[in-house]
Amino acid sequence: MGSKSNRDGFGARIEVTVEGSTRYAEVRAGSSFESSSDPRVHFGLGAATRVDAIVIRWPSGQVEKLEPESADQELVVQEGRGVVVRNPGKKS
């Protein structure tokens, strides 16, 4: 969620480091004419149980570095405030 940037954080670039490997994603809006896609960013972590680092580069230019986090959860991040909601993942 953007505060200085747009409300949905579209254009934010996220990098996640897990066990020395860094993965990248960007928050995007709809993908084609008259449709929309889920704007949440999802990272596959394999067998890893922890994320070592999360860095968010907001469209406003602000860079946010988050603390290490457990895997298998959904995080809601607000620009300038960090993680505001943690939703545990579903166990199958």
Side-chain angles (χ1 to χ4, degrees):
M1 297 180 350
S3 52
K4 294 177 185 173
S5 302
N6 61 79
R7 181 187 66 143
D8 295 313
F10 293 136
R13 296 176 183 264
I14 303 165
E15 59 185 66
V16 172
T17 303
V18 178
E19 298 175 346
S21 175
T22 303
R23 297 152 170 88
Y24 301 89
E26 183 174 323
V27 180
R28 296 180 181 261
S31 58
S32 66
F33 181 70
E34 290 189 2
S35 71
S36 63
S37 299
D38 187 346
R40 295 176 296 179
V41 176
H42 177 267
F43 291 92
L45 305 179
T49 59
R50 196 146 183 81
V51 173
D52 301 320
I54 302 171
V55 177
I56 303 170
R57 299 180 194 292
W58 295 96
S60 67
Q62 181 171 343
V63 177
E64 196 149 356
K65 297 178 183 178
L66 305 178
E67 297 292 319
E69 291 283 348
S70 297
D72 296 323
Q73 64 176 328
E74 177 182 7
L75 302 175
V76 177
V77 180
Q78 185 173 5
E79 184 178 12
R81 288 188 55 207
V83 178
V84 294
V85 176
R86 284 180 177 81
N87 293 320
K90 295 179 182 175
K91 301 290 181 189
S92 9

